[in-house]
Amino acid sequence: MKKVLLFLVLVLLFTSIVQAASSKPNLEKITFVHYAKDHRGKPIWDDTVTDYRLITGGIKWHVTPVMYEISTANKPGYLDDNFIYNAISASSETWDDATGTELFDTPISTTNPVIIGDGKSTVGWGDLQPGVIAVTQLLYNPATKEIVEFDTILNTYYPWGNASATTNKVMDLQNIATHELGHACGLDDLRPPKDGELTMYAYSDYNEIKKRTLGIGDILGIQELYGE
Ligand SMILES: [Zn+2]
């Protein structure tokens, strides 16, 4: 009888070990929708405000540098591939420069479209509803608070470009990409009007470039996650 019991215990132990080894972590998805600013009022504060918010209490990348791809699939035809690559990689470099961790790897160019859940982090293009400038989604493991994938879609509804080099009405690619890549690192949106000059402020506008450079709150946030 004792031997039978011992055998049963061993079988149960073995099956639970096999299950633990083979089960994938239950990943959760979080979505950030970046809206065009309404024009009810201009923010009156500057980018020295110290506000930042971590996503769900501090999810972050555990494996760095983060590998990601810059996609030209579905891109607006008027945008040059090199311009897209250079603007977005300047954005990831901005976050990288603000922390002691080598945060982002040199991005890879791709012609594959953005697909959430394909195991690759990608910044690319898509047709979203008017009012939405961009959407970033994160996949993370809630048990370990580890981000495992991010994907950003920039809305081709809007005209895009380099606001420093044109008088046309454009969404500045580097400006918007820096905000979206802040989400990719683990920083949340800020909505109070006093945060209006920070990169992680939740709204943007045509020809805005102030999100290209980080404010004090943005730097404090990235350094809390990845060190000085
Ligand atoms: Zn946002």
Side-chain angles (χ1 to χ4, degrees):
M1 190 63 187
K2 271 187 179 172
K3 273 186 182 170
V4 174
L5 265 178
L6 183 65
F7 177 73
L8 274 174
V9 167
L10 283 174
V11 166
L12 281 172
L13 193 67
F14 181 72
T15 48
S16 62
I17 287 170
V18 168
Q19 274 174 358
S22 65
S23 68
K24 279 186 177 174
N26 282 321
L27 298 179
E28 283 185 16
K29 186 164 78 176
I30 188 165
T31 302
F32 298 92
V33 181
H34 195 56
Y35 291 101
K37 189 187 286 176
D38 62 40
H39 292 264
R40 281 178 291 189
K42 280 190 173 175
I44 48 169
W45 295 74
D46 59 30
D47 71 356
T48 59
V49 281
T50 56
D51 292 354
Y52 63 87
R53 289 176 64 212
L54 306 181
I55 299 167
T56 66
I59 59 169
K60 59 184 271 189
W61 293 88
H62 291 186
V63 180
T64 53
V66 176
M67 313 256 293
Y68 79 100
E69 302 192 344
I70 297 173
S71 170
T72 52
N74 309 312
K75 69 158 189 171
Y78 54 83
L79 285 186
D80 177 65
D81 288 6
N82 287 328
F83 166 72
I84 293 172
Y85 183 88
N86 291 335
I88 295 170
S89 44
S91 296
S92 56
E93 198 62 34
T94 297
W95 289 108
D96 211 320
D97 287 347
T99 171
T101 301
E102 183 62 31
L103 192 49
F104 285 104
D105 209 341
T106 305
I108 298 159
S109 298
T110 184
T111 53
N112 296 325
V114 180
I115 298 169
I116 184 85
D118 67 351
K120 289 182 195 167
S121 296
T122 311
V123 180
W125 303 89
D127 187 13
L128 307 173
Q129 66 182 33
V132 173
I133 304 170
V135 172
T136 292
Q137 294 191 299
L138 303 184
L139 287 180
Y140 69 98
N141 182 341
T144 60
K145 294 183 177 291
E146 179 181 12
I147 302 172
V148 297
E149 182 180 335
F150 83 90
D151 292 281
T152 297
I153 295 177
L154 305 157
N155 190 0
T156 51
Y157 168 84
Y158 288 99
W160 291 83
N162 175 0
S164 311
T166 180
T167 52
N168 295 339
K169 208 174 163 186
V170 293
M171 284 297 171
D172 184 81
L173 181 54
Q174 189 184 337
N175 188 69
I176 302 299
T178 309
H179 175 89
E180 298 306 322
L181 288 168
H183 290 314
C185 296
L187 295 175
D188 208 339
D189 280 316
L190 300 169
R191 298 183 194 283
K194 71 185 174 73
D195 296 326
E197 298 296 303
L198 295 178
T199 295
M200 292 319 294
Y201 185 61
Y203 308 96
S204 292
D205 207 348
Y206 289 108
N207 298 75
E208 180 192 284
I209 57 167
K210 62 193 177 188
K211 289 186 178 72
R212 289 181 181 179
T213 50
L214 306 182
I216 301 293
D218 304 310
I219 294 168
L220 289 173
I222 200 70
Q223 292 188 345
E224 176 159 345
L225 288 171
Y226 300 101
E228 284 181 29

